[in-house]
Amino acid sequence: MKQTELRNVKHGDFFRLANSETAPVWVRGDYNRASNKFEAYKYDNVNYWNEFRCSRIVFVDFEF
């Protein structure tokens, strides 16, 4: 897995919050200007979403 900031992940791309194969997969959503954070939802459960700051370190380039 490769480590990067959330702002470098494109809209709709997958990422993980931990460097683990068992960590849940998230999908990056839109940028919320009111809170200055990115919205993201879990791949397995679209109803579970959260907001993350732009400088959050995430992990990309993995297979699941």
Side-chain angles (χ1 to χ4, degrees):
M1 282 190 244
K2 191 170 86 173
Q3 181 176 326
T4 186
E5 289 185 344
L6 187 57
R7 71 177 62 139
N8 299 328
V9 178
K10 293 182 181 177
H11 184 274
D13 283 352
F14 303 126
F15 66 92
R16 286 187 169 147
L17 299 176
N19 191 9
S20 170
E21 293 297 324
T22 59
V25 177
W26 291 79
V27 181
R28 204 205 93 176
D30 294 325
Y31 181 73
N32 186 350
R33 290 182 187 217
S35 64
N36 295 328
K37 296 181 179 180
F38 283 108
E39 296 175 354
Y41 61 90
K42 285 190 178 180
Y43 178 77
D44 293 339
N45 186 1
V46 179
N47 292 322
Y48 188 89
W49 67 276
N50 205 344
E51 291 184 337
F52 301 102
R53 54 191 160 82
C54 303
S55 60
R56 171 75 188 236
I57 299 297
V58 296
F59 299 91
V60 295
D61 291 340
F62 56 87
E63 294 183 21
F64 70 101

